[in-house]
Amino acid sequence: RAKDAGRNTFRFFSAAMQLAVESRAALEADLRLAIGSQQLALHYQVQVDDSQRPIGAEALLRWHHPSRGTVSPLQFIPIAEESSLILDIGNWVLDVACAQLARWQRMPAMRHLTLAVNVSARQFRQADFVDMLSAIIARHPCDVSRLKLELTESMVLSDVAEVVHKMDSLRALGLSLSMDDFGTGYSSLSYLKKLPLAQIKIDQSFVRDITTDATDAVMVKTIIDLARNFRLEVIAEGVETQEQLEFLRGHGCMIYQGYLFGKPVPLDEFESRCHAQGVPASLT
Ligand code: C2E
Ligand code: MG
Ligand code: MG
Ligand code: MG
């Protein structure tokens, strides 16, 4: 009987696995179609300074599927990463973002903003990534110093010297680099010293319980101190409450992103909010 049960269990799991494989394949096929058919869009989430005025935005990808509805990037980015789809998607994102940055620089209420774009590990590892980005920038002439690429710690795991070389080439284009989800990967002091970063982003998983979990509080304080000692800008993501903001501010964080200031929104909504909120005095 135990054997039968085992067999049934096996059958059950293999059916479930089959389904998972199929839906994954279906999602991948749909994603392939999405790229050319206006189902992908960038939303923009504001980043604010200490006076809570907008100083920048993070571009976040959205997939509006005709029948599935909105699919989360947490769902489709990993699938895209496993195929070469992430390269087409990533290029599309960079192209739209640079076009946007160029446009904003002609708009008085927007021209002070920086724009952060997420780059996936596979995209970053592409041999011609720097050339490709340089071609995009040439197509959309803009103040490249306002462009920020968000990288992840997983990119640094491989050959550090090679990664540093690529990061230097990217910086030579005029843009700046940020380390996303900082503290969730294999952060080490030795790589922080080597990488040409301008900013680190405190992951939202540490910010969430900052006021109730002593370990997270220490983690965040340590990251802020680290950033200060390495002369890096530090931004906290996932700030949802006034209490979290006060904690972060009290410990020397100076840039924030999170629902407290605004959720990621479509372009027109983002622009009208920026018009309403105005330009920080320090940036005029
Ligand atoms: P991420 O880069 O760490 O982006 C931050 C995520 O936190 C976003 O989720 C954002 O909507 C969410 N978030 C912001 N503020 C809050 C808050 O106060 N509370 C909570 N609970 N969440 C907040 P989203 O847009 O679902 O994106 C998820 C991840 O997907 C991103 O994490 C990023 O890793 C990836 N992703 C998004 N767009 C792109 C893209 O264009 N290219 C690549 N390669 N990855 C992307
Ligand atoms: Mg990000
Ligand atoms: Mg992040
Ligand atoms: Mg994150």
Side-chain angles (χ1 to χ4, degrees):
R1 254 192 289 156
K3 225 173 167 184
D4 285 351
R7 202 175 295 141
N8 284 336
T9 308
F10 175 73
R11 226 177 268 134
F12 171 76
F13 277 123
S14 69
M17 272 156 55
Q18 182 64 31
L19 194 71
V21 169
E22 269 166 16
S23 61
R24 204 181 171 81
L27 208 61
E28 188 183 323
D30 283 1
L31 191 53
R32 205 172 288 277
L33 295 175
I35 299 172
S37 56
Q38 300 194 324
Q39 294 173 23
L40 297 181
L42 292 185
H43 281 197
Y44 299 86
Q45 185 176 30
V46 72
Q47 299 177 335
V48 302
D49 66 4
D50 222 34
S51 65
Q52 302 197 28
R53 300 288 196 89
I55 57 165
E58 178 176 8
L60 291 157
L61 189 57
R62 295 292 177 263
W63 178 14
H64 303 288
H65 187 281
S67 59
R68 297 176 200 268
T70 303
V71 186
S72 162
L74 294 173
Q75 247 183 305
F76 70 85
I77 294 286
I79 293 177
E81 277 246 20
E82 282 177 21
S83 65
S84 55
L85 277 176
I86 192 66
L87 305 181
D88 291 337
I89 293 175
N91 290 355
W92 181 87
V93 168
L94 283 166
D95 195 82
V96 174
C98 289
Q100 211 45 260
L101 202 55
R103 223 185 115 252
W104 284 354
Q105 281 159 12
R106 298 189 293 269
M107 301 165 67
M110 309 298 289
R111 66 166 57 114
H112 65 289
L113 300 177
T114 59
L115 183 56
V117 180
N118 292 283
V119 173
S120 86
R122 182 153 176 178
Q123 197 183 351
F124 179 82
R125 278 198 291 268
Q126 251 181 303
D128 62 349
F129 181 61
V130 180
D131 293 340
M132 194 275 310
L133 184 56
S134 148
I136 289 177
I137 291 168
R139 259 204 311 282
H140 308 289
C142 57
D143 178 0
V144 186
S145 70
R146 303 204 182 277
L147 179 65
K148 199 168 273 171
L149 297 187
E150 293 194 1
L151 310 178
T152 58
E153 292 164 272
S154 63
M155 293 175 195
V156 192
L157 287 180
S158 48
D159 186 345
V160 180
E162 201 182 305
V163 170
V164 169
H165 176 73
K166 191 167 264 187
M167 288 173 76
D168 282 336
S169 310
L170 287 168
R171 284 211 327 165
L173 298 177
L175 51 77
S176 72
L177 300 170
S178 174
M179 186 58 78
D180 205 355
D181 306 331
F182 188 80
T184 60
Y186 297 87
S187 320
S188 86
L189 285 173
S190 66
Y191 93 54
L192 254 197
K193 190 183 68 181
K194 287 179 195 146
L195 303 183
L197 293 169
Q199 182 189 69
I200 56 182
K201 260 187 125 163
I202 306 174
D203 190 64
Q204 55 181 287
S205 62
F206 302 121
V207 174
R208 192 178 307 128
D209 301 321
I210 210 175
T211 54
T212 52
D213 184 320
T215 315
D216 286 344
V218 167
M219 190 81 187
V220 167
K221 280 191 262 182
T222 306
I223 294 175
I224 294 172
D225 286 346
L226 204 63
R228 200 183 278 147
N229 290 329
F230 280 89
R231 306 278 186 274
L232 296 170
E233 190 178 272
V234 62
I235 173 170
E237 71 173 19
V239 182
E240 294 186 352
T241 69
Q242 196 63 37
E243 291 71 32
Q244 291 166 342
L245 174 63
E246 267 146 35
F247 180 99
L248 289 160
R249 182 185 280 150
H251 290 92
C253 188
M254 287 165 77
I255 310 179
Y256 315 92
Q257 178 181 344
Y259 295 168
L260 183 62
F261 316 102
K263 292 193 170 184
V265 290
L267 178 69
D268 50 351
E269 205 173 316
F270 181 75
E271 289 183 349
S272 47
R273 281 192 202 180
C274 288
H275 279 285
Q277 282 178 312
V279 180
S282 59
L283 295 171
T284 51

